[in-house]
Amino acid sequence: MAMRMTGMMSGLDTESIIQELVAAKQKKVDVKKKEQTRLDWKQEVWKELNSKLKKLQTKFLSNMRFKDSYSKKTTKVSNSNAVSVITGENAVNGVQTLEVKKVAKTAYLTGGVIGGGTGGFSALSTLKGVTGGFTGSKTITVTKDGTALDIDVTEDTTISDLLTKLKDDAGLNATFDAKNQRFFVSSPNSGEKNSFDFTGDSGVLLALGLKTDPADPTGETVTDNKYATKTKGQDAVILLNGAEFTSDNNTFEVNGLTITALDKTTAPVTITTQQDTDGIYDMIKNFLKEYNEVVNEMDKLYNADRAKGYEPLTEEEKDAMSEKEVEKWEQKIKDSVLRRDDNLSAVNSALQSVMASGIDVNGKTMYLYDFGIETLEYFAAADNERHAYHIAGDPDDEATMNKEDTLKGMIANDPDTVINFFSKLGMNLYDKMSEMSKSVDGYRSFGNFYDDKKMKSDYDDYTSKIAEMERKVTEYEDKWYRKFSKMETALAKMQSNMNAVSGLLGG
């Protein structure tokens, strides 16, 4: 870089002169920077629109093109407090009757108060202390589903040790409530086969509160709190159309239905399985909502007002404006970057063309309007919403809510025709979008609807060109500084010589 001397000898404002000389070249650099910024904004707008197009294809059309996505059924029950039903794809339409005779129960034992009610025992207390003199070893037998398991204990076995053996060896849930001085034991699963019994040394079982009252071996009626109270495991039993089914966990899978018994019934429950017409309607409605949002966005971008006289701002220009003014200025440009964009027009037109095309359904060509789905008349539609579709009778659509709901009627009376039409429409749209977003070497990445590779390449070219132009501007600026520096040096030398001559002449 040249040494930059001010015009001390010449009296010239060399800084201003040089900046004026450089300004023309710097303006060309600024023009390139603005072009690059505009391209960057164009990429941002396309990225956002591209995401919406992908969502339409992958979230909606990807499912909509398959008939199975529409084949949803629903089941209604007359008593939801007694039974709940999940409908599978293979469920048969029709009305059935169901009775819940028993609900499944989990085997449970609430122990009597341990140690004869002397109290003060904790998880670390030994069986010797609990039994008041127990020595040696004893065996407690747990019987489950006809299988006996022996648990050996000694006088040094603690309550905590016993709980661990009940859990790990016998597979039971077991806790000790120190506050109430009782064991609580249960099976991890419901059902009759998961019932359990304790047998063994009568004295040890009684001291631990695990013995049932001899007067009531079932343990269901207890009058003395030193004895355990028991609830036996029980299977659920239902009658479906008169046929009996049992389950150990209240859940039954029968002919495509998953039935869960919740409570015993006193009267038959009606189960009605039918086509989920609301589900089909909602699927179509949600697709159209997403499609309309995308096509309206494309129309808005394509028909945007011109941003004549608006260019991206330099840093100096931004400094002269408020943040709000800068934001408003830049948004005006961003809104217009895809105005009359050929690529945008191609994508938009392709989608509209598929939506307007006829589809063969059982030898008959049908259109969206056959299902009560149409765009509004030109002057009835808002700006940039003239290609959006509306469902006649849609209660959420003010423009068509008072019309007859053709779509719902057709779903109820002829669901196969509706499913055939919209699955084919979904397939056509999906295939067209796949074709438009296929990879183009050097121009487009797979899955994108715009030339992202080309835009990035152009952006990088701008970066290189701007760097080269700025280098040349700096060289040009340095050249003028060198020239003015030489002039100042020459004038200084001349002034020095004149002073010397004047001194010799006695001036």
Side-chain angles (χ1 to χ4, degrees):
M1 181 180 288
M3 185 175 69
R4 299 183 172 183
M5 298 176 61
T6 59
M8 293 179 63
M9 300 305 299
S10 64
L12 298 173
D13 185 356
T14 56
E15 187 74 25
S16 297
I17 294 171
I18 292 173
Q19 291 307 311
E20 287 292 330
L21 292 168
V22 172
K25 292 185 177 295
Q26 183 60 50
K27 186 174 182 179
K28 292 181 179 180
V29 177
D30 291 340
V31 168
K32 284 294 178 188
K33 287 183 175 180
K34 291 180 178 184
E35 290 175 357
Q36 185 185 40
T37 298
R38 184 183 286 274
L39 176 60
D40 184 44
W41 290 345
K42 187 174 183 179
Q43 289 182 92
E44 289 180 2
V45 174
W46 257 118
K47 282 180 182 178
E48 184 176 347
L49 177 59
N50 195 70
S51 294
K52 294 178 181 179
L53 287 164
K54 281 185 176 180
K55 180 183 176 184
L56 174 66
Q57 185 183 20
T58 59
K59 183 177 179 180
F60 293 89
L61 298 178
S62 184
N63 292 324
M64 185 177 166
R65 57 189 170 140
F66 298 116
K67 292 181 181 179
D68 290 348
S69 300
Y70 301 84
S71 300
K72 299 176 181 178
K73 297 184 178 183
T74 184
T75 300
K76 297 180 180 180
V77 296
S78 61
N79 185 352
S80 59
N81 293 321
V83 63
S84 68
V85 179
I86 298 175
T87 313
E89 293 181 2
N90 298 322
V92 178
N93 289 349
V95 180
Q96 304 181 72
T97 58
L98 179 139
E99 296 178 66
V100 179
K101 293 299 185 181
K102 294 180 181 179
V103 292
K105 292 182 181 180
T106 299
Y108 203 97
L109 180 144
T110 301
V113 176
I114 70 171
T118 55
F121 297 107
S122 70
L124 298 179
S125 299
T126 63
L127 298 194
K128 180 178 180 180
V130 175
T131 60
F134 159 54
T135 58
S137 65
K138 300 289 183 181
T139 300
I140 297 174
T141 301
V142 179
T143 303
K144 289 175 54 182
D145 194 22
T147 301
L149 175 72
D150 292 337
I151 296 177
D152 295 325
V153 295
T154 69
E155 59 189 276
D156 295 325
T157 299
T158 64
I159 290 177
S160 178
D161 294 334
L162 179 58
L163 291 174
T164 299
K165 289 176 179 290
L166 291 173
K167 293 175 185 175
D168 296 346
D169 298 343
L172 297 172
N173 297 324
T175 60
F176 175 69
D177 184 344
K179 181 178 180 180
N180 292 290
Q181 296 287 284
R182 293 176 186 262
F183 281 95
F184 292 87
V185 185
S186 65
S187 174
N189 300 302
S190 60
E192 184 176 332
K193 69 179 181 180
N194 292 308
S195 293
F196 60 89
D197 290 299
F198 287 112
T199 57
D201 187 282
S202 181
V204 173
L205 291 176
L206 183 61
L208 294 173
L210 300 178
K211 182 177 176 61
T212 55
D213 190 341
D216 180 22
T218 63
E220 294 177 355
T221 304
V222 177
T223 58
D224 191 333
N225 65 9
K226 68 181 180 180
Y227 292 112
T229 304
K230 287 178 60 179
T231 299
K232 283 187 172 293
Q234 175 176 286
D235 287 341
V237 179
I238 64 170
L239 293 179
L240 182 62
N241 302 322
E244 183 176 286
F245 298 87
T246 62
S247 168
D248 61 8
N249 61 6
N250 286 321
T251 300
F252 304 80
E253 293 184 4
V254 184
N255 201 24
L257 298 178
T258 300
I259 302 169
T260 301
L262 303 175
D263 197 6
K264 186 177 178 180
T265 58
T266 57
V269 175
T270 300
I271 297 178
T272 306
T273 302
Q274 58 188 11
Q275 194 77 31
D276 184 8
T277 55
D278 288 340
I280 297 174
Y281 183 88
D282 290 342
M283 187 173 180
I284 296 170
K285 179 177 176 177
N286 290 335
F287 155 69
L288 289 174
K289 180 181 178 182
E290 190 73 16
Y291 172 84
N292 289 343
E293 288 179 2
V294 173
V295 77
N296 289 347
E297 178 72 10
M298 289 194 289
D299 281 348
K300 178 183 176 183
L301 292 169
Y302 187 79
N303 297 323
D305 293 336
R306 299 173 67 92
K308 189 174 182 180
Y310 286 80
E311 292 291 339
L313 301 168
T314 63
E315 291 303 319
E316 291 77 9
E317 290 169 335
K318 289 181 181 179
D319 290 340
M321 302 168 66
S322 67
E323 288 186 14
K324 199 167 185 180
E325 288 173 332
V326 171
E327 182 181 352
K328 185 176 180 181
W329 182 282
E330 292 184 343
Q331 192 60 50
K332 177 72 174 179
I333 303 171
K334 291 177 181 179
D335 289 343
S336 69
V337 291
L338 293 188
R339 171 182 164 81
R340 301 295 185 262
D341 184 271
D342 291 340
N343 189 14
L344 175 63
S345 177
V347 174
N348 199 358
S349 297
L351 294 184
Q352 293 176 32
S353 176
V354 174
M355 292 290 282
S357 298
I359 292 176
D360 180 78
V361 180
N362 298 325
K364 179 182 178 181
T365 301
M366 302 187 75
Y367 299 84
L368 280 170
Y369 58 73
D370 290 317
F371 301 86
I373 301 173
E374 297 183 78
T375 58
L376 298 179
E377 294 181 3
Y378 186 86
F379 291 106
D383 289 344
N384 300 316
E385 294 184 10
R386 294 189 172 94
H387 297 114
Y389 283 90
H390 299 256
I391 302 174
D394 180 359
D396 298 322
D397 191 334
E398 293 183 1
T400 58
M401 62 191 306
N402 294 321
K403 294 184 177 181
E404 180 183 355
D405 199 329
T406 303
L407 178 61
K408 276 194 173 179
M410 292 190 70
I411 292 174
N413 298 319
D414 190 5
D416 288 341
T417 294
V418 177
I419 292 172
N420 283 335
F421 178 88
F422 282 96
S423 61
K424 288 182 178 180
L425 174 63
M427 180 65 77
N428 293 344
L429 277 169
Y430 186 91
D431 290 345
K432 174 57 69 174
M433 294 183 79
S434 295
E435 177 187 335
M436 290 187 293
S437 62
K438 65 183 179 181
S439 177
V440 180
D441 188 36
Y443 280 82
R444 182 176 302 170
S445 302
F446 175 77
N448 284 341
F449 294 86
Y450 70 106
D451 296 335
D452 60 314
K453 287 185 177 180
K454 180 66 166 56
M455 285 188 180
K456 184 180 184 305
S457 176
D458 290 346
Y459 186 89
D460 292 341
D461 286 344
Y462 271 117
T463 300
S464 299
K465 289 177 182 177
I466 290 170
E468 178 62 18
M469 292 174 71
E470 287 181 329
R471 183 185 65 79
K472 290 182 178 180
V473 169
T474 299
E475 289 179 351
Y476 184 73
E477 187 178 28
D478 288 345
K479 181 185 75 173
W480 281 106
Y481 272 111
R482 285 195 297 270
K483 286 185 177 183
F484 277 98
S485 179
K486 288 180 181 179
M487 181 186 74
E488 293 292 331
T489 300
L491 288 173
K493 186 179 289 186
M494 182 185 298
Q495 182 64 45
S496 178
N497 291 337
M498 289 178 63
N499 290 340
V501 172
S502 177
L504 291 173
L505 298 174

